[in-house]
Amino acid sequence: MADGADLWPFLERVVLPPGWRIHYQAQVGSTQDLARRADEDGLPSRSVFVADYQTVGRGRRSRRWASPPGAGLLFTALLRHRGWAPQVLTMLGSVALSEAVEGLVGISPGIKWPNDLYIGPRKLAGILAEGRSEGDRHSVFLGIGVNVNTPDATLDALPSATSLSREAGWHIHRGELLVLILEAMDRWLAELESGDDGALWEAWNDRLWGRHQRVMLRDGDVETPCTVLEAERDGSLVVLTASGERRRVLAGELLI
Ligand code: BTN
């Protein structure tokens, strides 16, 4: 089903939680740009932009996000919020995504700090949160890319990546996965709108990837061997360095 039949023909009929609306295009530059333009044009919060293929998909740290046509789930949700800290919104995306994958295939991906989804040592999905604020009007463009039915040849060339179909052992319906993600986001948005981000942070910390595992922490040009301990409510990571120092890390990247 690499022809997009598991996406729009399904999504145009599906019932979503109130307020959510999906906009689909077969091919786009980046769904991030569609969400930003929609925000400028005044489209409502919970507008979601989905594509089968992106010509210039982007990741964090100015990297590219490439996914063969019809193989990935590629979307951006436009969300308006009350000036929540950026890490709260990326926590929302990564927890909702991990829960949705668990609901669909029974595998619970870990959240590799700060917000990649991993199954074992391999990357399943990435999240890119971009935003815009004008006075007290705050918008986030929460972009999610999941390797879903990625061809074997593509995965074999990327040993640090995996796909949902490879992990589950069967072909995955991308539309069903998207609906589960949006339902989970809807639940967490309701929780946040009630003024409480404690449960979201606990869910994020519970799903933290690599706890007690020895990894390398890269911050700029500096690489430090350490062990992952836990994630803090402010989005930072607590690690134990080789010299036995407990260190709180605000920025950086974990290397396996
Ligand atoms: C990362 O791991 O660096 C984040 C990758 C985010 C990719 C998604 S795919 C949908 C949305 N559109 C983009 O151009 N990027 C995000």
Side-chain angles (χ1 to χ4, degrees), residues 27 32 34 42 47 49 56 61 70 72 83 99 106 108 133 157 168-169 178 180 189-192 205 230 252:
Q27 176 173 320
Q32 295 296 109
L34 298 188
S47 297
F49 300 86
V56 280
R61 299 169 183 268
E99 289 177 340
S108 176
S133 288
L178 176 59
L180 288 174
L189 280 170
E191 178 89 13
L192 291 177
N205 196 24
E230 61 188 339

Side-chain angles (χ1 to χ4, degrees), residues 106-171:
I107 299 169
S108 176
I111 299 170
K112 180 168 170 285
W113 183 86
N115 50 13
D116 283 332
L117 259 78
Y118 267 59
I119 297 181
R122 297 196 175 79
K123 179 162 170 168
L124 175 73
I127 296 177
L128 174 67
E130 298 175 327
R132 192 168 82 106
S133 288
E134 245 177 60
D136 59 359
R137 187 187 152 100
H138 307 279
S139 308
V140 67
F141 318 123
L142 195 57
I144 295 189
V146 191
N147 302 325
V148 181
N149 298 308
T150 314
D152 281 343
T154 308
L155 282 183
D156 292 345
L158 286 170
S160 60
T162 190
S163 75
L164 204 45
S165 63
R166 178 169 278 190
E167 296 294 333
W170 65 84
H171 194 89

